[in-house]
Amino acid sequence: MFGLGKCWWCELLPSACEGCACSILRNAREGQGFLILLKGTAEFLALSPGQGTQATEFSFVRFKEESCCAIFTFSQQPAAAPVPAEREFIIDCRSIAALSPLPFPL
């Protein structure tokens, strides 16, 4: 898995993790799937190249209350390889306008 390590830029931000998305992530279970809508956008976030406008399915890893960082993983289909690569996605929960929970795998 690709890891960015410590969320150093989140440490520079105020630690008032308020808002709907932060509250949801504070109580989310590891492995819970989400679609993410960023503030100022009208479409769910799509990170995989060649995916078009199909939203990326993110898997919740953890929430860091002290920095408001939410850590997710997602699968990305590489252009040259048939096997998807797992990537890490770190975001300040205050930048999220909406979360759409996906069914939790059994």
Side-chain angles (χ1 to χ4, degrees):
M1 172 179 11
F2 175 74
L4 296 176
K6 186 174 181 183
C7 182
W8 61 269
W9 63 91
C10 294
E11 302 297 331
L12 303 174
L13 302 171
S15 61
C17 305
E18 296 179 7
C20 182
C22 297
S23 294
I24 290 169
L25 294 171
R26 186 177 291 114
N27 297 307
R29 293 189 302 169
E30 184 176 347
Q32 171 68 51
F34 290 99
L35 299 180
I36 298 174
L37 181 72
L38 300 178
K39 289 183 178 179
T41 65
E43 301 290 331
F44 285 105
L45 187 58
L47 294 182
S48 294
Q51 184 172 310
T53 58
Q54 182 181 348
T56 299
E57 294 185 6
F58 293 93
S59 180
F60 179 73
V61 176
R62 69 182 168 274
F63 178 69
K64 298 176 116 186
E65 182 73 41
E66 69 278 0
S67 62
C68 303
C69 286
I71 303 169
F72 297 88
T73 57
F74 67 99
S75 292
Q76 185 174 40
Q77 183 68 43
V83 178
E86 189 169 284
R87 302 283 186 223
E88 198 169 66
F89 179 71
I90 303 171
I91 187 169
D92 187 318
C93 65
R94 297 168 293 184
S95 300
I96 300 172
L99 292 165
S100 179
L102 300 171
F104 201 89
L106 299 176

